[in-house]
Amino acid sequence: MEQRITIHIVGGNSRSRAEQSRLILALGHHAEVYSDLVELIDRPPRSGVIIASDDVLERGISTLLDYLADAGIWTPLVAAKPEPEVEEVVKAIQAGALDFLKLPLSEAEVQRMVAHVHSDAGRHAEARRRLIDARRRIGTLSPREREVLDWLTEGCSNKAIARNLEISPRTVEIHRANMMDKLGANHAAEAVRLRLEARMNRASDKENLPEESEALQAGASPIRRSVNAG
């Protein structure tokens, strides 16, 4: 017998959520329904999979996943919408979504997704946990320590970092030691791995980030604003 999973439904109107819930329950799985993203954040899921649709996806999968990561939610995310285009499906998977479903859900679509969850969700959730932990650690760095980490990730030596930042190599050594201590890294490779797992923009690229990413940096999620406004 197929293992029962919990499927968290968020986004869309109440009718769509009810239809998804009835189908999921009929197939022997457990459904949790959230009126909006704020409610999901208030009752964060720790297992299963999230199905997000409509208004929740308006600002893109990357922004949504960043917002969930900031809230400490690593549960795998599945996007869903009527007639998804091939290009947006590819972009969603590349951004970190586990799957992309067509609405209204069919029995075959749900069974395919559940099979995907069983085969891949554990690895996917672990990657999300590592991302969230890496971002939490990097978030403790000072702006200068973050710059040192960015240049270290580019493969630069202390002398090269000093030239790029226009400071002395000795000052770089101090910032690097503090950075390593805050990250809990015992060697440079571990610090670089954390930086790559976090999938964050360079600190010096903030001015080139889109508006929604700047809002996330400031701690005011555009997704939360749009949900509250609606």
Side-chain angles (χ1 to χ4, degrees), residues 29-229:
H29 301 289
H30 179 66
E32 289 285 344
V33 180
Y34 306 82
S35 60
D36 54 33
L37 192 59
V38 173
E39 187 176 353
L40 178 74
I41 297 300
D42 289 339
R43 296 190 289 125
R46 298 304 181 199
S47 63
V49 63
I50 299 169
I51 296 182
S53 62
D54 296 347
D55 50 304
V56 177
L57 300 176
E58 284 179 353
R59 292 182 177 269
I61 295 293
S62 293
T63 302
L64 175 56
L65 286 171
D66 282 345
Y67 183 52
L68 294 176
D70 289 343
I73 297 174
W74 56 78
T75 307
L77 176 75
V78 172
K81 66 178 297 185
E83 306 298 337
E85 299 289 338
V86 173
E87 183 179 356
E88 62 185 334
V89 172
V90 171
K91 286 183 178 179
I93 300 302
Q94 289 176 337
L98 179 67
D99 207 339
F100 208 124
L101 305 180
K102 179 182 177 181
L103 293 177
L105 294 182
S106 67
E107 181 176 334
E109 278 279 86
V110 174
Q111 290 176 335
R112 180 182 64 78
M113 180 201 68
V114 170
H116 195 177
V117 170
H118 286 318
S119 66
D120 205 36
R123 178 197 59 78
H124 192 274
E126 179 57 31
R128 294 291 298 165
R129 279 193 288 270
R130 290 199 303 269
L131 179 147
I132 291 167
D133 178 63
R135 288 188 176 184
R136 178 186 58 79
R137 294 199 213 180
I138 291 173
T140 66
L141 302 181
S142 70
R144 185 62 88 186
E145 290 162 357
R146 173 67 190 281
E147 288 179 324
V148 169
L149 175 60
D150 288 342
W151 284 113
L152 184 65
T153 305
E154 296 291 331
C156 293
S157 65
N158 284 357
K159 288 184 178 180
I161 295 173
R163 286 195 301 271
N164 288 319
L165 298 180
E166 298 181 343
I167 57 179
S168 71
R170 175 57 183 159
T171 302
V172 171
E173 290 176 7
I174 294 171
H175 287 309
R176 179 168 170 169
N178 291 337
M179 175 266 292
M180 298 282 285
D181 183 61
K182 288 181 181 179
L183 294 180
N186 295 317
H187 47 76
E190 188 174 353
V192 169
R193 177 183 59 78
L194 284 170
R195 171 66 177 76
L196 295 175
E197 286 181 348
R199 302 182 190 175
M200 299 170 75
N201 294 82
R202 290 172 56 90
S204 59
D205 290 342
K206 284 183 181 179
E207 63 272 20
N208 297 321
L209 295 175
E211 181 181 354
E212 59 266 28
S213 295
E214 291 174 351
L216 286 170
Q217 291 284 343
S221 169
I223 297 177
R224 183 178 289 273
R225 289 203 306 272
S226 67
V227 169
N228 288 335

